[in-house]
Amino acid sequence: MELHNDGAEVYVPDGSPVDVALSRTTHLCVSAHQDDIEIMAYHGILECFGRSEKGFTGVTVTNGSGSPRDGLYGSYTDEEMQVVRRKEQKKAAFIGEYSAHVFLDYSSSAVKDPANTHVVEDLERIIVASKPQVIYTHNLADKHDTHVATALRAIRALRELPCDSRPQHLYGCEVWRNLDWLNDNDKFVFNVEAHENLAMALVGVFDSQVSGGKRYDLATMGRRRANATYLAAHGVDESTSLIFGIDLTPLVEDEQLDVGEYVDGFIRRFAKEVSSRIAKLS
Ligand SMILES: [Zn+2]
């Protein structure tokens, strides 16, 4: 597969040829950083785990050079962090039995630059080669610029592809901002309670982040548990672990739909629910 950056790589945990690994993909995640996939798209990993007829492929757009670091990793250079983070992502791909993991190796600034078309072109090639049914990416209300830029590049890539190369579903999921605030009928709810051990291993393997000062492992598992319990005020928990998503599929189906306007619709409906409850009870 031709990708723009010299440092780009397609890692195939089971050693199959790259074209075979990509073509068996049914679920794909386009993420900004190493570990984002394991936090936001565990549903896709779980859907494909141990299933011969399904395959999960991860795409990490950035090179991880700007990662925070502390402890064992405190003195690591940006170059050394890139090596560590790629190695950690490969460990996760192996544990999660991904069909493939694609490292695109861009700097964050390149991803955030709307004039840089290389990221979009790489994503188009990957999507054409893998033709996934479902794509997960960052939600557009995330508060990390690189995350939102990554989601926008993915949407642009999908809009530029012919309809038969587009997925049936595109979901924006939780990393830097959860989606508990969405009105319940605007939430896409993923039940991810199966294989909790696997979920913990997948978020725990990123030692440079977790022991480096950010307890993403505990926070991620805690968020899923909180989502499950706080989803319904009246009624017992129906799951022990949920991930919330925003359905972004309409943005792929209708190229004229304004991205900002579409997301504003969710925010307006949320604002209306809050204000109407206060009005009702005042
Ligand atoms: Zn991230």
Side-chain angles (χ1 to χ4, degrees), residues 261-281:
E261 186 61 27
Y262 181 70
V263 177
D264 277 351
F266 290 88
I267 297 168
R268 281 197 300 271
R269 290 190 289 280
F270 169 63
K272 193 172 168 202
E273 191 198 70
V274 172
S275 54
S276 62
R277 178 172 294 107
I278 291 170
K280 180 181 75 177
L281 299 170

